[in-house]
Amino acid sequence: MSHDTMLHRAQARLADAAKHLNIDPTILEKWESPKETTQARLTIQMDDGSHKHFLAFRSRYDDTRGPTKGGIRYHPSVTADEIETLALLMTVKCALANLPFGGGKGGVQIDPHPLSKTELEGLARGYVRCFSHVIGPNRDIPAPDVNTNSTTMAWIADEYAFIVGEWTPGVTTGKPTSLGGSLGRDDATARGGYYLLQYMAKHIGFTPGARVAIQGFGNAGSHMAQLLESDGCKVVAISDSKGAIVCKTGIDIKKLNAAKERNGCVTSFAGSNGVSKIAADELVSVDCDLLVLAAMEDMVHAGNAANVKAPIILELANSPITAEADEILKSKNFVVLPDILANAGGVIVSYFEWVQNRQGYYWSIEDIHALLKTKMEEEGAAILALAKDKNITLRSAAYVHALSRLVGAIY
Ligand code: GLU
């Protein structure tokens, strides 16, 4: 099998896991390609009356365990290969979290930042018009991902209701609570990772007051910064797509949030309170106890993995560490809390939202937090035991655990 595409590299991780299970190797052939990927031309009307056209995708990688589930991202680097890879990762993630879902993903090749609010609305509604025959509450359920949020999901649910002729809240998750969204979905990705970290702490040597560097200050990164700061950690470095900042005594996250809101970048916070600027790609080599990767894919690679100083790395982004980098980190005895478990909190609370939409009865924030915590601990315990038993990394154990669930659903 050639390893030259992102998808091939993700499939190689699955093939590695298969070696630890007593399964018919031909079973993996099922996941050599997605069940279906749809590509469309998405046209939006700009505020000046002109029309612009963008490439849009939705991939339903695998529905062995239920309707496909996964976010929609807006990013200029979106390709079919990336979307299919992320849809495969969602397949593995949903199996690992034992959710009754398969894996899907969607994306539009666009930089949404220059768009006005009406243009963004046109983009979300245009996406539904492209894929209304693909998505559905029992077929394929989108959610937020990079550069999309609860407002995007509100427009998606509204456009879908218009097309099918009835309000169908379970067609998407991550909606505003006023439109059937779940309490606790907003910070769910970070909170899931935080619960996992707390649970694993004594096994991996994570101690209170740790110094943390966070790559990425979007939904996952900013909520994680807040959770860790309130837990007594010192957030010594943070980056976003425009640059990075460091502060030995700890960055004040509330103040940073306000600065980012005002100026659109974390570097605007430099110059006061002992905060200084560094280049964005220097973030992974900052001296600290925990590195949280909450940006994009392949950020830690063969070229910079040896510079990582944090002995514990938590993956809140999808696939932020390449296979080559994994080997380097392993040789240094560093622990990686792998994406498919560490960032599963988002899709777990998405599942809770979908269940609440189907029953029309809504749970308290305390219930959501307790259910999320239990899930992270249950699956965390399972992969910890597997890793010890087979003497493999937590990532390999997570793949083995997920693959055995996937295979168990094939009749
Ligand atoms: N986009 C998130 C992820 O990659 C959440 C997906 C969902 O909630 O369906 O896991």
Side-chain angles (χ1 to χ4, degrees), residues 69-73 86 90 93-94 105 141-146 173-174 185 189 318 343-344 346-351:
K69 184 87 192 82
I72 300 171
R73 63 173 53 186
L86 293 168
M90 286 306 301
K93 196 189 300 188
C94 290
K105 200 79 171 193
I141 307 138
D145 198 83
V146 174
T173 58
R185 177 61 185 83
T189 306
N318 288 310
N343 74 23
V347 73
I348 291 170
V349 178
S350 275
Y351 165 60

Side-chain angles (χ1 to χ4, degrees), residues 5 15 19 32 48 57 88 115 126 175 193 197 221 226 253-254 260 266 283 318 326 329 349 360 379 400:
T5 64
K19 292 183 197 147
E32 271 175 17
D48 66 5
F57 303 92
L88 171 59
L115 266 55
K175 299 178 294 294
L197 186 66
Q226 240 145 29
I253 304 303
K254 253 201 197 89
K260 169 113 186 176
V266 296
L283 185 117
N318 288 310
D326 254 350
L329 298 171
V349 178
E379 304 308 334
V400 172

Side-chain angles (χ1 to χ4, degrees), residues 155-358:
W155 289 324
I156 285 180
D158 189 63
E159 186 67 22
Y160 188 80
F162 182 77
I163 291 171
V164 301
E166 64 181 30
W167 179 234
T168 314
V171 70
T172 183
T173 58
K175 299 178 294 294
T177 48
S178 53
L179 286 175
S182 177
L183 292 173
R185 177 61 185 83
D186 206 29
D187 73 353
T189 306
R191 187 173 286 277
Y194 171 72
Y195 288 153
L196 180 70
L197 186 66
Q198 278 187 325
Y199 176 73
M200 293 275 190
K202 59 179 181 302
H203 303 283
I204 61 175
F206 181 74
T207 45
R211 296 163 308 148
V212 186
I214 302 180
Q215 180 184 59
F217 204 62
N219 174 290
S222 61
H223 281 119
M224 193 60 165
Q226 240 145 29
L227 285 165
L228 290 171
E229 186 192 49
S230 17
D231 201 24
C233 289
K234 214 181 278 172
V235 182
V236 294
I238 291 188
S239 69
D240 62 16
S241 58
K242 302 196 184 80
I245 51 173
V246 284
C247 175
K248 279 209 166 67
T249 52
I251 298 163
D252 185 320
I253 304 303
K254 253 201 197 89
K255 286 188 186 156
L256 174 62
N257 270 324
K260 169 113 186 176
E261 191 113 308
R262 265 196 318 274
N263 309 305
C265 57
V266 296
T267 48
S268 65
F269 196 53
S272 61
N273 310 304
V275 179
S276 49
K277 264 193 232 181
I278 56 167
D281 59 4
E282 277 177 54
L283 185 117
V284 298
S285 32
V286 164
D287 183 24
C288 60
D289 309 304
L290 168 71
L291 173 63
V292 177
L293 299 171
M296 296 291 285
E297 301 95 64
D298 299 341
M299 301 304 282
V300 178
H301 45 75
N304 66 4
N307 305 336
V308 172
K309 302 206 178 50
I312 303 170
I313 301 137
L314 184 130
E315 297 185 315
L316 278 188
N318 288 310
S319 202
I321 301 180
T322 67
E324 295 77 22
D326 254 350
E327 287 306 313
I328 298 170
L329 298 171
K330 192 174 149 193
S331 72
K332 292 166 70 156
N333 274 329
F334 286 4
V335 180
V336 176
L337 298 177
D339 52 1
I340 52 172
L341 181 59
N343 74 23
V347 73
I348 291 170
V349 178
S350 275
Y351 165 60
F352 299 157
E353 179 169 332
W354 182 76
V355 171
Q356 292 169 89
N357 290 158
R358 291 166 84 87

Side-chain angles (χ1 to χ4, degrees), residues 349-389:
V349 178
S350 275
Y351 165 60
F352 299 157
E353 179 169 332
W354 182 76
V355 171
Q356 292 169 89
N357 290 158
R358 291 166 84 87
Q359 68 185 5
Y361 178 78
Y362 289 82
W363 307 336
S364 70
I365 189 75
E366 290 79 15
D367 285 344
I368 300 284
H369 287 171
L371 287 165
L372 173 61
K373 190 160 186 276
T374 305
K375 251 212 184 298
M376 295 311 298
E377 293 180 354
E378 268 172 12
E379 304 308 334
I383 71 157
L384 202 55
L386 250 177
K388 280 196 180 140
D389 182 44

